Amino acid sequence: MPPLTNFSPSLSELNHRHVASSASTNSELIATLQDGTLDAATVHVLTAETQSAGRGQHGRSWQSPRGNVYLSLYHPVHMPISGLLSLIIGLELAKMPVIQTLNEQLQAQGLTPIGVKWANDLGFYQSQASHHSELAHSAPDGSALDSAISLQRTLPFQKLAGILIEPVTKSGKLVGVVLGIGLNVKAAPTLTAQTSEGMSYQAISLQDIYAVLQPATQATRLPGLQTLYQQMTTALMAAMTRFEHLAIEKPTGHTYYLDGFLQQFAAMDALAGLRLRVTQDYNNEKKVMTGVACGVDTHGCLQLQQDNGKISTLFTGRIDVIY
């Protein structure tokens, strides 16, 4: 089968609109598609300098200080959306030039590279040895969060970006999907126990990582937002192309594109080989299991090898990395 081609449309070709402030770029884009202001048959991009009511997964708030990327891209679709889409998006975002450059420098210095954390995030985990490293303390409120996490014997996830995928329907019919991305560029919000809603992560920005890598990055400037918008939309368009290829391939019984994706994802999997505690809610009752992360399956579900050797397939759940 032919390889995937790189398509890099300009922002103007994608009907890009930029606003100083939006309640939520996802919500605003969906509303203008559903009321007919925008044509649901074409791609649209909305960016904002800040959001007053930014949203993350499961209804959580997304703090939106200025200096970061808040971008939503609408793409028409003609097939059901599966759990693979968020992982495909994460993988393509991790291939953006700015991330690739940083990863080369992080790995050259023996530091953990930026990867894709199942199911909707970009970032990395500190190793236990570097738990109290310079990078952990460079992020806002690091000491307090480090102390709390040490008591729990968990490792904090350094969250660089989040993905929020939402379907768009008209007259009860799926017409497309909005892909929302928040990327911390210059400002990493301070996450208290309330604002992080119990999740064991802290926010980190590209600027934080650049600062730790000095002097290696002295000759490299942090890209401007316009450059990042372009890199990000290119990645999102590539993700949708890849998702469509997988959907077309599936009925044929071939797995050429799926195998290629799974192989690439395995190389960028931020959870691979880590010991996890997964907490799930069933009818208001919590179920907790522990084991080692061993990739994702062909549906995008997390695979967890429990202590008894059994492989569990997880559709959702809170992830804590433990040691």
Side-chain angles (χ1 to χ4, degrees):
M1 291 188 180
L4 293 169
T5 56
N6 291 322
F7 175 51
S8 182
S10 67
L11 284 166
S12 60
E13 291 178 281
L14 300 179
N15 302 307
H16 176 221
R17 185 169 66 95
H18 180 75
V19 297
S21 180
S22 174
S24 157
T25 56
N26 263 32
S27 296
E28 184 172 339
L29 193 51
I30 291 171
T32 52
L33 286 157
Q34 290 184 327
D35 68 14
T37 302
L38 296 180
D39 180 6
T42 60
V43 176
H44 299 277
V45 176
L46 176 64
T47 55
E49 293 174 27
T50 185
Q51 300 178 117
S52 58
R55 297 183 291 110
Q57 289 293 320
H58 309 297
R60 300 186 187 101
S61 63
W62 185 273
Q63 296 183 56
S64 306
R66 293 182 185 277
N68 296 339
V69 169
Y70 310 107
L71 179 149
S72 295
L73 181 145
Y74 167 79
H75 198 289
V77 295
H78 307 288
M79 71 281 292
I81 302 302
S82 74
L84 280 173
L85 182 55
S86 64
L87 302 181
I88 293 171
I89 291 170
L91 176 62
E92 294 298 337
L93 289 173
K95 291 159 64 176
M96 287 165 45
V98 63
I99 303 296
Q100 286 188 325
T101 298
L102 285 176
N103 275 347
E104 290 170 4
Q105 293 165 348
L106 285 165
Q107 289 173 309
Q109 296 191 29
L111 298 172
T112 306
I114 300 159
V116 185
K117 174 182 169 287
W118 182 87
N120 305 96
D121 298 320
L122 281 187
F124 52 86
Y125 283 94
Q126 300 290 126
S127 67
Q128 185 176 351
S130 62
H131 183 83
H132 296 287
S133 70
E134 180 184 2
L135 191 53
H137 287 102
S138 71
D141 201 22
S143 58
L145 189 55
D146 278 355
S147 176
I149 288 174
S150 294
L151 292 174
Q152 300 171 23
R153 296 183 62 80
T154 64
L155 296 178
F157 179 65
Q158 310 285 335
K159 184 169 179 173
L160 179 65
I163 301 163
L164 179 62
I165 301 172
E166 296 186 290
V168 179
T169 59
K170 296 190 77 172
S171 302
K173 179 184 177 183
L174 178 70
V175 294
V177 63
V178 167
L179 316 174
I181 313 294
L183 172 67
N184 297 328
V185 181
K186 293 185 177 180
T190 300
L191 301 180
T192 65
Q194 180 179 3
T195 56
S196 64
E197 300 191 44
M199 305 297 284
S200 57
Y201 66 79
Q202 65 187 80
I204 194 166
S205 69
L206 290 176
Q207 189 158 279
D208 290 329
I209 301 173
Y210 269 70
V212 169
L213 288 171
Q214 296 288 5
T217 56
Q218 281 183 346
T220 307
R221 292 182 59 189
L222 187 67
L225 293 183
Q226 196 71 14
T227 298
L228 292 173
Y229 293 156
Q230 182 63 61
Q231 289 188 18
M232 194 170 290
T233 53
T234 298
L236 292 176
M237 292 298 288
M240 289 306 300
T241 298
R242 173 165 251 166
F243 181 71
E244 289 170 347
H245 276 72
L246 292 181
I248 293 169
E249 174 185 69
K250 189 174 181 179
T252 70
H254 296 291
T255 59
Y256 175 86
Y257 292 117
L258 179 61
D259 293 344
F261 161 71
L262 292 173
Q263 183 178 10
Q264 288 185 28
F265 181 81
M268 298 296 298
D269 185 356
L271 291 175
L274 296 179
R275 185 166 176 78
L276 309 182
R277 179 176 66 232
V278 182
T279 307
Q280 296 178 307
D281 286 317
Y282 285 107
N283 299 322
N284 296 321
E285 291 186 9
K286 291 190 181 300
K287 177 184 178 182
V288 179
M289 62 181 78
T290 59
V292 175
C294 51
V296 298
D297 69 7
T298 57
H299 302 288
C301 298
L302 179 66
Q303 303 278 77
L304 184 75
Q305 183 171 21
Q306 297 185 66
D307 299 336
N308 61 9
K310 178 185 175 184
I311 301 288
S312 290
T313 298
L314 306 176
F315 293 90
T316 186
R318 167 182 163 165
I319 303 295
D320 289 295
V321 171
I322 56 178
Y323 61 92

